[in-house]
Amino acid sequence: MAFGRLEKPEGSRPMSDINMTPLIDVMLVLMVIFMITAPLMTASLRLNLPSSQAATPSDAPSFVAVAITPDGKLHLGDEELDAQSLQKRIAELGRANAQMEVQLRADRSVPYGQVAELIGWVQGAGLNRIAFVAQAAASAP
């Protein structure tokens, strides 16, 4: 009689290690998603919105009034200037006081391109505080 071993042959045992492949796949997919969305989040508009306490400030900042008439004439304060003279004067004001406010008055019939060009001159001179002056609406009786 042939007797074999009395021990059972060892079968395959369950794997006790964690399978890392699915975890790495998920991590790589998330990394690609973040790489695509991160640049989109940094391209947002940066606005410096004003805050209001519904009260007028006690100290009035220094300002200069710039106006464009319907026929395209430019005014600095009450003085009528041509485009080159206005640019020179605004540049001088910008060098003297970069915190000066420019109050822009433009007739509603003036084309937007002329207003945008004037804003470019003002910003090019280093004056970044621009206020658009509008006429108050008439109240109904």
Side-chain angles (χ1 to χ4, degrees), residues 47-62:
L47 298 175
N48 186 6
L49 298 175
S51 59
S52 174
Q53 299 296 328
T56 57
S58 59
D59 54 340
S62 60

Side-chain angles (χ1 to χ4, degrees), residues 59-120:
D59 54 340
S62 60
F63 70 92
V64 62
V66 177
I68 303 177
T69 59
D71 54 356
K73 294 181 182 175
L74 301 168
H75 296 269
L76 182 66
D78 295 329
E79 183 181 4
E80 183 178 335
L81 299 171
D82 59 29
Q84 291 179 347
S85 301
L86 181 69
Q87 288 177 356
K88 288 178 186 176
R89 294 280 301 272
I90 289 176
E92 292 171 4
L93 292 170
R95 283 191 295 272
N97 183 6
Q99 296 300 317
M100 182 176 293
E101 178 178 275
V102 176
Q103 293 185 352
L104 179 61
R105 292 175 170 85
D107 190 87
R108 74 172 62 201
S109 63
V110 174
Y112 176 74
Q114 290 180 353
V115 176
E117 185 178 26
L118 179 59
I119 292 171

